[in-house]
Amino acid sequence: MTTIDTTPAAAYRVSHLDAIEAESIFVMREVVAELERPVLLFSGGKDSIVMLRLAQKAFAPARIPFPVMHVDTGHNFDEVLDYRDQQVAELGLQLVVASVPEALEAGLVRESADGTRNRIQTPVLLAAVEKHRFDALFGGARRDEEKARAKERMFSFRDDFGQWDPKNQRPELWSLYNGRHHPGESIRVFPMSNWTELDVWHYIAQERLALPSIYYAHERTVIERDGMLYAVNEFITPRGSEEPFKARVRYRTVGDASCTAAVLSEADTVDLVIEEVAATRITERGATRGDDRVSEAAMEDRKREGYF
């Protein structure tokens, strides 16, 4: 007599990280299948570093089948630029640099009175998109970063002026994505929309990803301005009664050195950063980006104009 084993098999489980990784990889493959000239926006920040790893996994064992682009304002942290160039060399990537300093010299844009360049990235980005005829731009934006980010879909349609209308977005029922567009129009694609900052750090730990050193606690000369700690450098100098002092800080997000603040921290390892992020109650942009404090709708205004 044959005995049938009725013991239930071990339950098949997919971890949260595996699930969001699979979703992001699926979105990347959809873009390459549907559109002709995608590009990945790569600044050397933690989100774009994770995006690069996702792209590697999506198309392995082949090389990443699209270039990476950095909108270079000229106000970068040296550590981040060094990391960017190292990754490009190691992975054999094609790097497209959209240069704000070159645009300033050519008269395409004009620097604002406060010396920050975040606002003038947009026309430089749009000019590069037109020049290279990119029809899909991968970005590492996440919905937990900022209120305007939360209005985006995975596929965010942009008109032939590069502009975004939050009221005119395409449905994405059952994870079906519509990349149809006319010449001159483009799609911004955000495969990490359903990730959080904590997810990003858990993934960095899981994949053992190297990051620019400024993401970890280190000693730096800073000033306090508008309740935030800015590093003293060629772009940020003390004003009036501001007194430079040394503090142990790290950066939660990487933007221009002229508008990105640090936070007090002792977290000098991935595990300690994860503990710190798990306990915080303010997003990284809200805590460290001075350019988002211009108004409640600062990010949305920039996105409507064509920002990332």
Side-chain angles (χ1 to χ4, degrees):
M1 181 175 178
T2 304
T3 303
I4 300 175
D5 184 3
T6 58
T7 304
Y12 175 69
R13 296 180 181 178
V14 176
S15 72
H16 171 66
L17 279 186
D18 288 341
I20 58 176
E21 177 193 64
E23 178 185 52
S24 300
I25 287 174
F26 171 73
V27 170
M28 285 188 161
R29 289 172 176 168
E30 276 293 295
V31 169
V32 171
E34 288 190 43
L35 292 108
E36 294 181 0
R37 297 181 65 83
V39 65
L40 189 152
L41 296 171
F42 183 70
S43 64
K46 67 182 187 306
D47 298 313
S48 60
I49 290 168
V50 169
M51 286 279 289
L52 203 57
R53 173 54 60 90
L54 293 169
Q56 284 181 276
K57 287 192 169 187
F59 304 104
R63 288 188 176 186
I64 296 172
F66 40 75
V68 298
M69 178 165 66
H70 182 207
V71 182
D72 179 7
T73 63
H75 286 182
N76 302 285
F77 291 96
D78 291 338
E79 299 95 326
V80 177
L81 282 184
D82 291 344
Y83 182 92
R84 180 202 71 182
D85 294 340
Q86 176 189 347
Q87 286 293 291
V88 168
E90 286 183 3
L91 299 179
L93 303 171
Q94 176 190 351
L95 173 64
V96 175
V97 176
S99 172
V100 172
E102 290 180 6
L104 284 167
E105 188 175 340
L108 175 64
V109 293
R110 182 180 299 176
E111 195 165 43
S112 60
D114 63 5
T116 60
R117 294 179 175 179
N118 223 15
R119 191 100 193 185
I120 58 177
Q121 288 182 78
T122 301
V124 178
L125 169 66
L126 296 179
V129 170
E130 182 178 4
K131 176 182 177 181
H132 296 279
R133 296 183 292 111
F134 294 132
D135 58 1
L137 285 76
F138 289 111
R142 308 183 322 269
R143 291 188 178 119
D144 71 324
E145 284 183 79
E146 202 272 345
K147 289 181 289 186
R149 299 285 202 203
K151 295 182 180 181
E152 294 273 20
R153 301 285 172 84
M154 287 282 193
F155 276 36
S156 180
F157 173 77
R158 303 301 172 99
D159 65 20
D160 50 0
F161 293 101
Q163 296 178 332
W164 173 63
D165 180 1
K167 296 180 181 179
N168 182 26
Q169 298 197 74
R170 298 168 178 178
E172 295 180 345
L173 304 176
W174 307 293
S175 299
L176 297 176
Y177 303 109
N178 181 2
R180 185 176 299 173
H181 63 286
H182 296 295
E185 298 171 343
S186 61
I187 306 290
R188 303 290 171 83
V189 185
F190 302 108
M192 292 171 59
S193 290
N194 291 326
W195 295 52
T196 65
E197 183 185 8
L198 192 56
D199 291 332
V200 169
W201 279 102
H202 277 300
Y203 193 75
I204 288 166
Q206 174 182 285
E207 298 294 311
R208 300 182 180 180
L209 297 176
L211 296 182
S213 59
I214 63 175
Y215 276 112
Y216 300 107
H218 59 285
E219 189 175 88
R220 196 175 283 252
T221 301
V222 299
I223 56 172
E224 184 173 350
R225 179 178 296 170
D226 299 327
M228 296 192 289
L229 299 178
Y230 290 95
V232 176
N233 52 52
E234 61 181 302
F235 314 114
I236 292 282
T237 55
R239 302 173 185 165
S241 61
E242 293 175 343
E243 287 290 335
F245 61 96
K246 288 190 178 295
R248 191 162 172 80
V249 299
R250 74 175 190 88
Y251 287 85
R252 288 179 65 186
T253 183
V254 171
D256 278 3
S258 56
C259 64
T260 305
V263 295
L264 293 172
S265 177
E266 293 295 330
D268 55 5
T269 67
V270 174
D271 290 340
L272 290 176
V273 170
I274 288 173
E275 289 181 17
E276 186 178 273
V277 172
T280 192
R281 290 297 176 265
I282 185 170
T283 67
E284 68 262 49
R285 290 195 71 95
T288 66
R289 293 299 289 270
D291 52 321
D292 285 346
R293 295 193 173 189
V294 175
S295 73
E296 282 289 316
M299 171 65 82
E300 183 163 332
D301 291 342
R302 292 202 303 273
K303 288 178 72 63
R304 286 177 180 270
E305 295 168 0
Y307 190 67
F308 305 144

